[in-house]
């Protein structure tokens, strides 16, 4: 314990370590053992900065009029052609809540990306594939790549009909072993329309299949447990884990497998592992996982690979053409296998570039507990000057799962920034929390303003447990936008300033878990994580698909909880008091009496799924799409910013695009930009880049404001506003009217034709021990497909209520809310917390609050009367 | 048992506080406040009795607590805006002050005492009463009326001694360095001595004018031997039943030192006069007497108001007489005696009729003294640390004293919106939803409480008006007394101001300044609303607030635009049978109203022919006395043959009266004890919020026009006579009389009744009395700012 405690691991991982030790209950070994080759054995080719033109770089070709294509000074849109050198591997970005889309005039997204030492030492390139909306004006739109807070390249946005890929050279030494930050941002302007509304048409979609670090195949893989973070996610950003189970696997084997899956996900910081069960798989992405005594496994991976097993061992086998990277957890006996799990506990501090560590901490969201404040800088946002109409920036925070959301308090966003003079009266600052407008502030000074601390209250009821997205929008139209000259967007004056000193302050929050409430479970693993009684994973159907789905769901809960959950697998329904139960199985595997107890809408589900229930298992799972089909599908997905896993297999038939995995090798490069090419000396570039960031934006704007506040200026802008106001009054009234009539709240039906999965929760007994969560789909294939969709962050964050039904075609959860949840304490009882919980409950039950108050008023009146009548002089 | 009750009450209170300080959502708050308002309305409409009253207050207090909780936790400007924060804190402090005053007033007024009439005691058990009438510069006819009324009180004559305590004729005054003043004082002394002799009163004066009124009365205490001391201001004439209603309490409680009765005025104060509300609106002081003093009475904390009160001489002796450290000796005396364990009683029955200042300037002067005196006590003898007082008594005194800080919050509320309108300083952080759920409902509740509790004695917004009108000047006075509590600036009110024409008060300029400022604010708000439309909601709300302040300032302008005084002598409505003796012919008539200067009568039959002979006829009015009056009960009357008023009323004026004829006048005016309650009841009609607000808005639009008209008239007049004659000095009235006597030696002291413009009109020369107005909950508006 002490030796672990000394290691300054990330907090939640540290907690996990302790929990894992307690949960597993095995003695900790002082010595960690890796059955991998020492680093020196790995084929590492260290290329110094002087090494010119690595194999993957292609000679420039100046024949396609670069001058015409590069109106933007920074951009160096040199075209290159020809395939990437064989043996290169794309290290994809992991999936996040924004889903690879950069929308609006300005957008940015940051990812942490983990590199091994070998990878970091290489000369690296970054490939960016994207598709943009046709409205984007190429002359005024750019895509910028920043790595570890340094601009690596800027390119003009020019891909409107098909995905375009751009390759950026990364200056040597910029990437470090461990976590690095990848920040992709866009600056886009509309071709023809200057209105604020039109900016919503602007988007650039990063094609995850075409985006990532280009790694040499030789060092693309990992060879030891310390580098789990460098496992390659697939092109959708998920980490595929193939659970290689023996024939007729026993529940105990699955339990071990589950624990290993959880370990890999947590230690490697994968947010979206997708597990399937089956034999060893080939391919570059993902990992094969084998758990069991050596004598059973040798048959599966071969004697050579495993070596002599005489003690607990965790082995990483690098990928080969026949086999993914494979992790083997083994020992001579089952006990040794269990002990080998501890080998994952590599207690090292997370390493990497400072920006990378920051990005890792803020990915997929920054964890806030209440009573904290955090600056935007630490969330990966940067100070920016903006010349368009709609400034947008956002960040993700993760609220604790037992956060009780209601309007009993408000988070304060203290915005630092400014706006220029000459804005129209509609200029405003809007803060959206989870796509709902929480607060807006008119930017009303005609003279413009700069501020360092403009507090905007965000009611806590807008937040929810788990991932929350907060977006800051500045609508800064000018009167000139009405007479639209799109070309003026090029080199337009700045209208808005955003400072990364902006901070969000979260007040003390009410913390209590609710049962049943799927949101609490999905965001924190409650009540499975930390349960006093060992939680049960009930698998009535023990087929591979169902097991894979169950492992995926369980791993997801463990990730949400930040520590492994020690599930016990049950083939029979556990009785009362046996521990909270998670059940994952096809619909017909469940006893309908059980489902009834869980208050699942059995009849409705059966009706909706009648064609699918009991469908025979698919024999050949992966039907190859033609290249055209694959491209069409890909474009559709990108244009709609749709979670790929959800879409696949439905709208385009049951064909899985195995082609996607092969496409990378024969991609047709249409554009490669390289910043380094332009700079004759790489050091010049570095200096240029280094000179950029240290500007005092606040000071500059402040000085500018002072200069601009002349009387004539104010009078003119007032006059302009007055004229505009008259017009605006009418249109505002009109839009307000139409808005109030147009109150369609989308399709709120619970079950739709595309419903493929239902998650239900209920208490069948008296307490936390008797909570059941059921994940079910019409059949095992659908279950596996749908669970893959379910764990996409964009989907999983929607899980809530008593019943959540997944509509795969829309990647949307339809919710049945909980009427009257039980509260379960998760924190030591404190007056402050109880008060906040009460306030939250009363806010949600205003009637009870009002009646309580009136009752108390009557009581108080009577008590006062009684008291007063008998003291002092009697009046009459 | 009492412990159980106290515990129950405290438990209920803590539970309520616990629930009300929950940070619930704005929606829940809105539901709560709307429900509370609805419940209050239901209680108001359908429930009666003390429990219902308590419930109403309890419901209202819930809303107030919610508001204060929200206001203090969420609405203060951020520290990053120091100017906004400072101003915001000032506004907040002003609101908190009002809430504290409200809470204290609710505690004190928890259960006002309503006393049964005193039983009649046998004559031989009654104590000996000395009536003190301290005077400084009042006219002889006023003193004669008061002395006559005091002598006529229904009480064994051998146990009733009336003392005229003249501070205007002291040795010091008679030997003044100014020979004119000295002569005037000597004349006054001789004249009053003669008057007392004739009327059976005791004239008492002293060597030096030390310690003002308290010193004067202490001097008399040394000479008087009675058991009880009854104090009347010179212009406070008692009704016949005064002693019958009050003396009994002293027989019931040997530790009783004070029986106080309300002061009732027959003439309007300047604000009532200038807004013409006297006949239908309850006077400002009625709330203090009929609510606050009754509330204090429950806690044995009602206090001495300088006049119309009986005190036990032994109690005064124990405390060394009337206290004279501060300029409000009355409250101070009661305060000291309460601390010594003596008790007080308040009898809520109007038993005296008095006069009050007529000009705005003298009105303000009076209030400055009350205010400074009360604050002197607060600073020199803080009730909080006074030994011997019960906690509730401390609270009572504290409330009466801290009440006088009202000018500051009032001025803050008047000026606060300007900070946003003119300087864009945001002093109240809120969005529109919250402003509606908290601030608006709070204001509604405040209005309802005020109207529910005080609606019969106070019209809506009138408290605010009085506060505003005094606020400008009292603020100054408070600062000076706080700076130097031992040396309050004792402003002698300028007197002798003529009221025979419409004019602006000399104190009017701050009101014009304020009006101009607020008008500019409202115009600016409208301007910005149009030109900076991005701030619709905020500017609209702040602009409305400012506009209401503007209305208030407009009414204030009306209050300082002095209307000419038509009635020299205030009338009292009576209904008495009398006979008119016209040259031997006796005609029955009824007297409908009476004043010190005349009466209005109606003939029961035809008008006698003799009256038709001339324009004016000297007659005698023979009154059927109510009391045991000896001799000829008749008054000299001059009948004017002018077309009669409504109901065939003829206005007549009294001719110069002999001293004994004042007894007839006293009997006529002060004989019927029901006259005064009837008069008060006629004004005490519940004024609803809507009607009251409508009335107030009306004033707000009309009165500034009148004020501006006066302003131009004043300008025109000033142009005509560059040098206005200096106002006559306060104590020179006797000089005037000398001059009058010189001019008309045959008709000595006859000028009062004809009310010649050259003469000093009857004045209310209050010197130092403490009548804190009761503590009304005040409304306040609040600026809203859309989320930051």
């Amino acid at each position: 314990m002490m030796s672990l405690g000394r290691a300054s691991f990330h907090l939640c991982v540290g907690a996990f370590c302790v929990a894992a030790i307690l949960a597993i209950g095995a003695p900790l070994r002082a010595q960690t053992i890796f059955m991998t080759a020492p680093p020196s054995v790995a084929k590492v080719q260290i290329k110094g900065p002087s090494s010119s033109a690595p194999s993957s770089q292609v000679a420039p070709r100046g024949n396609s009029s670069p001058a015409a294509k590069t109106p933007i000074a920074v951009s160096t849109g040199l075209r290159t052609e020809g395939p990437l050198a064989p043996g290169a591997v794309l290290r994809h970005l992991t999936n996040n809540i924004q889903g690879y889309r950069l929308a609006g005039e300005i957008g940015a997204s940051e990812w942490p990306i983990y590199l091994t030492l070998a990878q970091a030492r290489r000369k690296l390139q970054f490939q960016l594939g994207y598709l943009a909306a046709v409205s984007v004006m190429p002359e005024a739109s750019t895509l910028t790549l920043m790595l570890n807070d340094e601009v690596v390249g800027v390119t003009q946005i020019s891909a409107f009909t098909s995905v375009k890929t751009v390759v950026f050279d990364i200056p040597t030494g910029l990437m470090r072993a461990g976590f690095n930050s990848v920040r992709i941002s866009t600056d886009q302007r509309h071709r023809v329309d200057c209105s604020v509304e039109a900016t919503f048409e602007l988007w650039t979609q990063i094609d995850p299949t075409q985006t990532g670090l280009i790694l040499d195949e030789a060092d693309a893989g990992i060879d030891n447990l310390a580098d789990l973070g460098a496992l390659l996610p697939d092109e959708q950003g998920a980490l595929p884990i193939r659970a290689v189970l023996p024939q007729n696997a026993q529940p105990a084997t699955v339990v071990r497998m589950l624990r290993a899956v959880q370990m890999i996900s947590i230690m490697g910081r994968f947010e979206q592992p997708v597990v399937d069960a089956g034999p060893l798989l080939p391919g570059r992405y993902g990992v094969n996982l084998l758990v069991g005594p050596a004598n059973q496994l040798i048959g599966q991976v071969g004697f050579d690979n495993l070596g002599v097993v005489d003690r607990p061992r965790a082995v990483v086998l690098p990928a080969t053409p026949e086999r993914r990277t494979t992790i083997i957890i083994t020992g001579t006996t089952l006990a040794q296998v269990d002990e080998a799990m501890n080998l994952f506990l590599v207690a090292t501090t997370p390493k990497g570039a400072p920006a990378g560590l920051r990005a890792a901490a803020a990915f997929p969201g920054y964890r806030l507990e209440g009573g904290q404040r955090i600056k935007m800088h630490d969330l990966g946002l940067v100070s920016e000057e903006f010349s368009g109409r709609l400034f947008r920036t956002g960040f993700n925070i993760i609220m604790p799962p037992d956060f009780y959301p209601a309007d009993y308090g408000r988070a304060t966003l203290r915005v630092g920034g400014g706006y220029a003079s000459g804005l129209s009266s509609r200029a405003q600052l809007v803060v959206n929390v989870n796509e709902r407008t929480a607060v807006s502030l008119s930017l009303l000074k005609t003279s413009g303003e700069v501020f360092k601390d403009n507090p905007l209250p965000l009611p806590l009821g807008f937040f929810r447990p788990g991932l929350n997205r907060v977006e800051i929008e500045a609508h800064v139209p000018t009167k000139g936008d009405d007479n639209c000259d799109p070309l003026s967007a090029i080199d337009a004056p700045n209208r808005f300033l955003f400072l990364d000193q902006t901070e969000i302050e979260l007040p003390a929050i009410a913390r209590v878990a609710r049962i049943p409430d799927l949101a609490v479970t999905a965001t924190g693993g409650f009540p499975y994580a930390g349960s006093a009684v060992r939680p049960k994973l009930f698998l009535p159907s023990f087929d591979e698909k169902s097991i894979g789905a169950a492992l995926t769901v369980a791993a997801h809960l463990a990730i949400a909880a930040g520590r492994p959950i020690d599930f016990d697998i049950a083939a029979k329904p556990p009785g009362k008091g046996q521990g909270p139960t998670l059940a994952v199985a096809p619909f017909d595997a469940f006893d309908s009496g059980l489902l009834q107890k869980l208050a699942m809408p059995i009849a409705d589900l059966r009706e909706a799924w009648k064609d699918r229930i009991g469908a025979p298992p698919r024999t050949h799972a992966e039907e190859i799409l033609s290249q055209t089909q694959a491209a069409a599908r890909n474009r559709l997905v990108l244009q709609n910013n749709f979670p790929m896993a959800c879409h696949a297999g439905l709208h385009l038939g049951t064909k899985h695009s195995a082609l996607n995995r092969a496409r990378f090798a024969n991609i047709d490069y249409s554009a490669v930009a390289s910043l380094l090419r332009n700079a004759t000396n790489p050091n010049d570039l570095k200096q240029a880049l280094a000179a950029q960031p240290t500007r005092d934006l606040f000071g500059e704007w402040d000085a500018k404001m002072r200069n601009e506040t002349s009387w004539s200026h104010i009078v003119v802008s007032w006059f302009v506003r007055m004229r505009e106001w008259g017009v605006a009054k009418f249109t505002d009234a009109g839009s307000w009217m139409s808005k109030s009539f147009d109150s369609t709240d989308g399709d709120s039906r619970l079950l739709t034709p595309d419903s493929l999965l239902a998650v239900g929760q209920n208490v069948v007994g008296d307490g936390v021990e008797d909570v059941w969560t059921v994940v079910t789909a019409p059949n095992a294939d659908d279950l596996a497909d749908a669970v893959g969709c379910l764990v996409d962050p964009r989907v999983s964050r929607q899980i809530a209520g008593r019943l959540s039904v997944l509509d795969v075609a829309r990647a949307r959860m339809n919710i049945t809310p909980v009427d009257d949840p039980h509260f379960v304490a998760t924190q030591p009882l404190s007056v402050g917390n109880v008060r906040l919980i009460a306030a939250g409950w009363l806010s949600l039950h205003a009637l009870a609050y009002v009646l309580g108050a009136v009752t108390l008023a009557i009581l108080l009146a009577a008590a006062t009367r009684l008291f007063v009548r008998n003291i002092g002089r009697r009046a009459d | 048992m009492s412990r159980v009750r106290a515990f129950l009450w405290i438990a209920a209170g803590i539970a309520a506080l616990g629930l009300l300080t929950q940070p619930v959502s704005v929606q829940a708050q809105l539901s709560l406040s709307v429900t509370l308002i609805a419940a209050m309305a239901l209680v108001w409409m359908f429930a009666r009795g003390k429990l219902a009253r308590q419930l109403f207050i309890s419901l209202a207090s819930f809303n107030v607590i919610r508001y204060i909780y929200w206001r203090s936790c969420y609405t203060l400007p951020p520290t990053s805006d120091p100017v906004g924060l400072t101003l915001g804190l000032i506004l907040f402090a002003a609101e908190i002050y009002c809430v504290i005053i409200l809470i204290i007033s609710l505690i004190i007024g928890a259960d006002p005492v309503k006393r049964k009439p005193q039983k009649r005691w046998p004559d031989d058990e009654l104590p000996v009463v000395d009536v003190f009438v301290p005077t400084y510069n009042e006219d002889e006819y006023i003193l004669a009326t008061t002395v006559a009324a005091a002598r006529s009180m229904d009480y064994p004559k051998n146990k009733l001694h009336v003392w005229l305590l003249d501070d205007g004729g002291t040795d010091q005054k008679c030997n003044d360095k100014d020979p004119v003043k000295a002569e005037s004082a000597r004349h006054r002394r001789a004249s009053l001595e003669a008057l007392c002799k004739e009327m059976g009163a005791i004239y008492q004066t002293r060597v030096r004018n030390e310690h003002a009124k308290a010193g004067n009365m202490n001097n008399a205490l040394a000479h008087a031997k009675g058991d009880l001391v009854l104090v009347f201001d010179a212009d406070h004439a008692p009704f016949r039943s005064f002693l019958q209603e009050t003396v009994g309490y002293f027989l019931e409680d040997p530790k009783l030192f004070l029986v106080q009765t309300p002061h009732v005025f027959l003439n309007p104060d300047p604000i009532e006069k200038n807004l013409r509300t006297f006949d239908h609106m309850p006077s400002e002081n009625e709330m203090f007497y009929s609510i606050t003093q009754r509330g204090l009475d429950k806690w044995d904390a009602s206090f001495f108001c300088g006049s119309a009160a009986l005190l036990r001489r032994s109690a005064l002796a124990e405390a060394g007489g009337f206290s004279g450290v501060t300029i409000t000796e009355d409250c101070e005396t009661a305060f000291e005696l309460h601390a010594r364990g003596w008790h007080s009683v308040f009898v809520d029955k109007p038993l005296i009729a008095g006069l009050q200042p007529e000009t705005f300037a003298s009105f303000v002067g009076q209030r400055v003294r009350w205010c400074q005196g009360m604050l002197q006590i607060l600073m020199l003898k803080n009730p909080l640390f006074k030994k011997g007082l019960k906690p509730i008594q401390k609270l009572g005194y504290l409330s009466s004293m801290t009440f006088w800080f009202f000018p500051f919050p009032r001025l803050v509320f008047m000026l606060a919106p300007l900070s946003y309108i003119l300087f864009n300083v945001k002093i109240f952080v809120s969005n529109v939803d919250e402003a509606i759920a908290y601030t608006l409902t709070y204001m509604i509740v405040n209005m309802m409480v005020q109207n529910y509790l005080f609606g019969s004695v106070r019209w809506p917004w009138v408290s605010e008006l009085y506060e505003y009108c005094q606020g400008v000047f009292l603020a100054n006075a408070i600062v000076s007394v706080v700076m130097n509590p031992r040396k309050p600036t004792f402003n002698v009110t300028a007197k002798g101001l003529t009221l025979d024409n419409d004019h602006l008060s000399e104190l009017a300029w701050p009101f014009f300044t304020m009006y101009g400022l607020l008008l500019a604010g409202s115009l600016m708000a409208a301007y910005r609303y149009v030109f900076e439309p991005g701030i619709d909601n905020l500017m609209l709300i702040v602009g409305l607030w400012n506009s209401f302040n503007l209305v208030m300032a407009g009414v204030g302008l009306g209050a300082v635009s002095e209307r000419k005084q038509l009635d020299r002598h205030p009338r009292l409505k009576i209904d008495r049978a009398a006979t008119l003796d016209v040259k031997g012919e006796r005609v029955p008539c009824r007297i409908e109203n009476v004043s010190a200067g005349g009466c209005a009568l109606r003939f029961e039959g035809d008008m006698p022919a003799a009256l038709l002979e001339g324009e004016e006829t000297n007659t005698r009015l023979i009154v059927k006395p109510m009391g045991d009056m000896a001799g000829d009960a008749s008054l000299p009357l001059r009948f004017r043959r002018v077309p009669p008023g409504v109901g065939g009323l003829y206005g007549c004026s009294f001719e110069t009266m002999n001293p004994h004829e004042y007894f007839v006048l006293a009997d006529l005016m002060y004989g019927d004890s029901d006259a005064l309650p009837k008069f008060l009841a006629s004004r005490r009609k519940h004024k609803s919020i809507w009607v009251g607000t409508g009335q107030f808005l009306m004033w707000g639009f009309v009165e500034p026009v009148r004020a501006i008209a006066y302003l131009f008239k004043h300008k025109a007049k000033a142009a005509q006579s560059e040098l206005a004659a200096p106002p006559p000095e306060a104590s020179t009235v006797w000089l005037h009389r000398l001059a009058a006597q010189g001019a008309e030696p045959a008709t000595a002291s006859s000028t009062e009744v004809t009310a010649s413009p050259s003469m000093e009109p009857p004045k209310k020369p209050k010197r130092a009395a403490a009548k804190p107005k009761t503590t009304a909950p005040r409304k306040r508006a609040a600026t809203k700012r859309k989320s930051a």
Side-chain angles (χ1 to χ4, degrees), chain A residues 7 103 220 274 443 510 586 606 633 728 799 821 841 854:
Chain A
V274 178
L443 304 177
R606 198 183 295 283
R633 175 191 170 279
I799 301 174
W841 191 85
V854 172

Side-chain angles (χ1 to χ4, degrees), chain A residues 140-177:
Chain A
S141 305
T142 54
L143 189 64
T144 305
L145 174 72
M146 283 175 87
L147 295 174
N148 289 337
D149 289 351
E150 287 194 23
V151 177
V152 167
V154 180
T155 183
Q156 191 182 339
I157 295 174
S158 55
F160 308 112
T161 51
S162 59
V163 171
K164 183 170 181 176
T165 55
V166 185
V167 175
F168 298 95
D169 284 339
I170 299 169
T172 352
L174 187 55
M175 302 301 264
R176 305 259 200 93

Side-chain angles (χ1 to χ4, degrees), chain A residues 559-621:
Chain A
I559 292 160
R563 54 181 168 167
I565 300 172
D566 185 24
F567 279 108
D568 191 11
I569 300 222
K572 281 187 194 164
K576 280 187 185 177
Q578 298 252 320
T581 303
L582 172 68
V584 185
F587 186 73
D588 51 3
F590 283 110
D591 176 41
S592 61
L594 176 67
L595 291 182
Q596 213 137 34
K597 257 194 246 175
L598 294 169
M600 301 277 283
I602 303 173
D604 293 349
L605 288 173
R606 198 183 295 283
E607 172 62 25
W609 291 346
K610 59 179 182 241
D611 298 337
R612 291 174 164 275
I613 290 174
R618 290 194 289 265
T619 44
H620 49 97

Side-chain angles (χ1 to χ4, degrees), chain A residues 290 293-309 328 330:
Chain A
L290 289 91
N295 52 6
Q296 286 178 17
L297 299 183
I298 282 171
Q300 286 171 290
V301 290
F303 194 84
D304 296 345
N305 291 313
L306 210 51
V308 182
V309 177
I328 301 164
T330 187

Side-chain angles (χ1 to χ4, degrees), chain A residues 242-246 257 276-281 288-291 297 300:
Chain A
R242 168 52 64 101
V244 185
L245 289 167
M257 183 62 76
D276 55 357
L280 286 169
L281 270 184
N288 286 321
L289 179 61
L290 289 91
V291 180
L297 299 183
Q300 286 171 290

